[in-house]
Amino acid sequence: MPVTSTSQRVIVIGAGPVGLCLSLALAEEGVPVTVIEALGDDNFLEQVPRAGTNHPATLEMYDRIGLYHKLEPRGIIAPVFHYWDRAANALIAAFDLSHLKGDTRFPYVLQCERIKIVEEALKMAKAHPAIDMRLSTSFTGFEQSGSGVVAHIVNPSGEVETISGDYLVSAEGARSIVRKDLGIEFEGFTYSDLTLNIEVAYDFRRHGYAERNYISDPTEWSNLFHWKGPPDRWRVHFPVDPSEDQEAICRPQALQARLQRFLATGRDFDIVASNLYTVHQRVAKKFRVGRAILAGDAAHVNSPIGAMGMNSGVHDAFNLADKLIQILRGRQGEEILDRYERQRRHVAIAHTQAQTSRNKRLLAEKDPAVRKRNQDELRRAAEDPALARAFLLRASLIESLREAERIA
Ligand SMILES: Cc1cc2nc3c(=O)[nH]c(=O)nc-3n(C[C@H](O)[C@H](O)[C@H](O)COP(=O)(O)OP(=O)(O)OC[C@H]3O[C@@H](n4cnc5c(N)ncnc54)[C@H](O)[C@@H]3O)c2cc1C
């Protein structure tokens, strides 16, 4: 039964993957949504490269809102990923998501960048009659009472406006104004090293790499991922010392030298872009206060090693959408939003944070004995179908969703 009353509006701040998935999931059930997004048509597609690996459970969710079939042609279906040892130039383990055939309709990841996801989802949201999409509009603050919320925005003409709704969802990303206004602590830490991302038009598969590779090294670990073009690009991540001159790190010659140290081809790489970013491991102490709710990066941020940030944010969006729909239909009381917090905060801490921290330690481990033990374990897990399935259920976040379902 769709929600019909137009007064039952949800205000979503941010048209990132989380805000757009949430809005589409709500709108599909007839819930009116207003989306506030600071970027406009003129600069929406100019966002820096970020997430791009979409895990099986996330693909199922995209499918539910009709987004998957728009993304598949723009991405790369990748069932296999690799762990390598850089110094030995050796493949340690190849994991095949086909082991999850009985667990998901999508036993692979889709390598499809965040920018393509938000581009397609934005088109769908703009066309949806239940979604009021406000681009070039900045959210500045809000108030709430027992019966609703009022959001303050600055519209494209620079005028201050207010809009009211039943609930306000902060899908604004890591710098969430809602989280700060509510005084919610963002607990955790920031890694001291920076991550350098270089985008290269070069086919690394000719050296035996898969579409997705995690490469361990005690001094310079890396990640190597393939993205669909044209032209096809590969993203290579390296850790860098924050005391180094950042401008010097990103000079073309320095990037070429770093890439040649990684893989000596004797020819310059075709570098498409590069950027440096800081990595945080943080989870908000609360995911909701009254009618204001946090989702995605507003609620938790983590290292991209393992591709869990955007995926777990999209999982927040669908969990929350289902609960808001039940509340707005009058079938459940507002207290089910506490279950959203219990479920998704548990996943953020026990799965996303735990696994991404472990992934980083695994790649950067300096102790040779520990490195050997880790690599032996990975090899054993990849070669044994039952162990591989258990490993992949965790790595693809399916286990996190199953565990969340068991939380009352
Ligand atoms: C380099 C890098 C690589 C990554 N790789 C991966 C990966 O492979 N897999 C993975 O799962 N995750 C990855 N992540 C993490 C991933 O990008 C984020 O988890 C994801 O984008 C979060 O989605 P979101 O919708 O919560 O927030 P965002 O994507 O940050 O979107 C927030 C939106 O809110 C808008 N906004 C912000 N403030 C306001 C305001 N005041 N008013 C109006 N609008 C506002 C912004 O313009 C933006 O459109 C990576 C991150 C980085 C930095």
Side-chain angles (χ1 to χ4, degrees):
M1 178 186 60
V3 176
T4 45
S5 165
T6 49
S7 66
Q8 295 184 310
R9 180 167 296 277
V10 176
I11 303 170
V12 175
I13 314 298
V18 175
L20 287 169
C21 283
L22 171 68
S23 303
L24 286 164
L26 290 169
E28 279 298 284
E29 294 296 320
V31 177
V33 183
T34 297
V35 184
I36 305 299
E37 170 56 51
L39 298 172
D41 280 322
D42 54 331
N43 58 1
F44 191 76
L45 297 181
E46 286 164 18
Q47 305 181 45
V48 291
R50 294 172 62 182
T53 296
N54 299 275
H55 288 301
T58 313
L59 300 180
E60 290 182 14
M61 294 177 193
Y62 292 156
D63 199 35
R64 173 175 144 187
I65 51 171
L67 180 59
Y68 176 75
H69 74 274
K70 295 179 190 291
L71 300 179
E72 196 198 271
R74 301 191 67 184
I76 297 170
I77 289 179
V80 174
F81 65 95
H82 285 174
Y83 283 94
W84 287 76
D85 181 277
R86 174 166 165 176
N89 188 26
L91 174 62
I92 303 303
F95 283 94
D96 188 340
L97 281 119
S98 315
H99 287 297
L100 300 184
K101 273 200 176 110
D103 297 282
T104 172
R105 286 186 288 128
F106 299 93
Y108 50 81
V109 303
L110 184 71
Q111 293 288 97
C112 182
E113 303 92 307
R114 175 187 172 282
I115 197 68
K116 294 175 184 165
I117 298 165
V118 291
E119 185 185 4
E120 295 296 341
L122 180 66
K123 277 191 229 158
M124 291 173 67
K126 278 180 171 176
H128 204 295
I131 299 180
D132 170 24
M133 176 60 64
R134 307 274 192 103
L135 292 179
S136 304
T137 301
S138 294
F139 166 78
T140 55
F142 77 104
E143 282 127 37
Q144 62 173 318
S145 65
S147 58
V149 289
V150 174
H152 301 275
I153 57 174
V154 179
N155 71 21
S157 315
E159 294 153 358
V160 176
E161 266 186 55
T162 55
I163 47 168
S164 41
D166 280 32
Y167 292 94
L168 177 84
V169 181
S170 167
E172 305 154 82
R175 296 204 173 105
S176 166
I177 293 172
V178 174
R179 191 188 66 238
K180 286 177 197 153
D181 277 5
L182 291 170
I184 298 174
E185 217 180 308
F186 211 18
E187 296 175 321
F189 65 92
T190 299
Y191 282 112
S192 60
D193 52 353
L194 299 173
T195 300
L196 171 64
N197 171 45
I198 315 179
E199 300 230 353
V200 191
Y202 178 81
D203 191 354
F204 285 88
R205 283 174 302 188
R206 69 180 78 149
H207 302 277
Y209 290 110
E211 321 288 353
R212 195 155 68 101
N213 308 275
Y214 296 101
I215 302 154
S216 67
D217 191 74
T219 50
E220 196 182 49
W221 55 266
S222 50
N223 301 322
L224 177 64
F225 302 122
H226 184 192
W227 311 107
K228 189 165 181 170
D232 272 22
R233 285 155 301 119
W234 289 68
R235 205 181 276 175
V236 201
H237 290 159
F238 298 107
V240 295
D241 183 339
S243 64
E244 282 182 56
D245 175 354
Q246 296 191 13
E247 204 229 301
I249 291 170
C250 292
R251 279 193 203 121
Q253 269 183 330
L255 296 176
Q256 290 291 353
R258 198 180 288 268
L259 288 169
Q260 288 296 336
R261 285 197 298 276
F262 173 71
L263 181 72
T265 59
R267 294 178 60 181
D268 270 0
F269 284 93
D270 179 2
I271 295 174
V272 183
S274 69
N275 62 302
L276 275 170
Y277 60 89
T278 307
V279 176
H280 310 273
Q281 296 281 145
R282 293 182 187 276
V283 179
K285 195 152 189 174
K286 292 187 67 53
F287 280 18
R288 118 161 147 116
V289 174
R291 291 170 174 269
I293 309 151
L294 308 180
D297 273 21
H300 45 77
V301 287
N302 54 264
S303 135
I305 308 175
M308 297 193 165
M310 181 175 69
N311 284 275
S312 63
V314 170
H315 301 183
D316 292 349
F318 281 87
N319 181 310
L320 180 57
D322 288 344
K323 292 187 169 60
L324 287 172
I325 291 162
Q326 291 302 311
I327 295 169
L328 293 171
R329 281 179 178 164
R331 287 189 181 156
Q332 296 266 357
E334 205 171 282
E335 65 285 352
I336 57 165
L337 293 176
D338 293 332
R339 183 166 180 237
Y340 163 77
E341 176 178 289
R342 286 193 295 278
Q343 291 177 311
R344 298 310 304 167
R345 199 163 177 275
H346 169 78
V347 166
I349 294 168
H351 290 267
T352 319
Q353 296 289 315
Q355 287 195 61
T356 51
S357 306
R358 203 180 310 127
N359 288 344
K360 167 122 193 225
R361 280 199 307 276
L362 185 81
L363 296 193
E365 181 58 57
K366 291 190 186 304
D367 181 328
V370 180
R371 285 176 64 74
K372 180 172 180 318
R373 198 172 63 228
N374 289 342
Q375 294 187 352
D376 287 346
E377 266 174 34
L378 281 172
R379 212 176 275 118
R380 232 186 351 265
E383 285 165 5
D384 177 308
L387 291 178
R389 176 171 169 265
F391 181 94
L392 291 164
L393 285 173
R394 279 192 306 279
S396 65
L397 290 171
I398 292 176
E399 190 173 296
S400 79
L401 290 163
R402 290 180 179 171
E403 208 170 286
E405 269 316 299
R406 294 195 290 269
I407 296 174

